[in-house]
Amino acid sequence: MDARDKWNRKYIDKLTNQATPDPNKRLLGIASYLNRGTAIDFASGMGGNSFYLAELGYDVTAIDISDIAINYIQGQADNRGLNITTRVADLTKERTDFMTHKYDLAVMTYYLDRSLFSLVKQVINDDGYLFFETFYKQYAAGNVHISNQYKLESNELLREFIEWKILFFEENEQEGRQTIFCQKI
């Protein structure tokens, strides 16, 4: 089964169970920094973060490998009058289109492809923001079902974005996640 089929099946299950996508809790916590503009939601899934940002007034671009998820986001955006542009793309292969646009905010949650770090840095405007959260290698958290290739090393995001202004960073050992919110300076 290829990646698109895998994620399509996951999102069909969520839609069947009528699971409503929620925005990331830490993203909600930085709302005072979120002042409209343009945003890109990499690996958007069912769009919880995209909907939240659009409700705040952002012009959002939501990108995911799953056409099921992207069709859901577009339908909900149309029904709710939200300004969300959607795109089905495999971020491991399709990147050139993203390099022609700049964004005030980039969001990536629970998706890790280290080769995207340079792209993310390029597509954010000066003084723009990045919110990034995903798993990291903390075995006590119980995230053993996630392959280590999709887990960050301790402090990896701090090292990767050391030249940026770090506004929030957390390594939560109980949850096995690493979160960073930073500004490009």
Side-chain angles (χ1 to χ4, degrees):
M1 173 182 343
D2 71 3
R4 182 164 285 147
D5 290 340
K6 172 189 164 188
W7 288 105
N8 277 340
R9 286 181 187 205
K10 180 178 179 173
Y11 295 131
I12 287 170
D13 288 345
K14 285 189 175 200
L15 289 172
T16 301
N17 295 323
Q18 299 179 338
T20 304
D22 292 320
N24 181 282
K25 292 176 186 175
R26 269 83 38 210
L27 183 63
L28 294 173
I30 60 165
S32 62
Y33 287 95
L34 305 177
N35 300 318
R36 300 181 183 219
T38 57
I40 186 166
D41 187 1
F42 288 103
S44 60
M46 298 290 289
N49 295 330
S50 295
F51 297 138
Y52 173 66
L53 294 171
E55 288 167 354
L56 291 177
Y58 278 91
D59 295 332
V60 179
T61 299
I63 301 163
D64 200 271
I65 194 170
S66 168
D67 55 310
I68 299 295
I70 290 299
N71 289 339
Y72 173 79
I73 293 170
Q74 192 62 64
Q76 289 294 309
D78 293 344
N79 290 341
R80 295 162 61 179
L82 299 174
N83 193 5
I84 300 176
T85 302
T86 56
R87 173 123 187 267
V88 176
D90 181 345
L91 292 170
T92 64
K93 300 173 186 169
E94 304 167 52
R95 299 180 180 177
T96 54
D97 290 348
F98 310 120
M99 298 176 81
T100 60
H101 295 80
K102 293 278 192 173
Y103 300 90
D104 300 309
L105 172 66
V107 173
M108 190 177 314
T109 56
Y110 294 94
Y111 178 81
L112 179 60
D113 179 348
R114 289 170 178 86
S115 68
L116 281 173
F117 288 165
S118 63
L119 172 69
V120 167
K121 291 175 182 179
Q122 290 175 27
V123 302
I124 298 175
N125 286 323
D126 290 342
D127 296 323
Y129 297 97
L130 168 67
F131 178 85
F132 193 136
E133 179 174 289
T134 197
F135 299 107
Y136 89 103
K137 292 180 182 175
Q138 173 56 21
Y139 295 101
N143 61 13
V144 293
H145 64 285
I146 306 295
S147 170
N148 278 343
Q149 82 181 65
Y150 302 116
K151 294 178 187 175
L152 296 163
E153 298 291 335
S154 184
N155 294 315
E156 185 173 348
L157 290 177
L158 276 180
R159 288 189 302 275
E160 185 63 38
F161 294 94
I162 192 70
E163 296 170 356
W164 293 39
K165 182 178 181 181
I166 308 299
L167 300 166
F168 176 82
F169 177 79
E170 180 181 25
E171 251 180 18
N172 187 303
E173 293 182 1
Q174 290 76 33
E175 296 177 18
R177 67 168 165 78
Q178 195 173 115
T179 309
I180 195 166
F181 179 60
C182 52
Q183 184 177 26
K184 185 177 183 180
I185 52 174

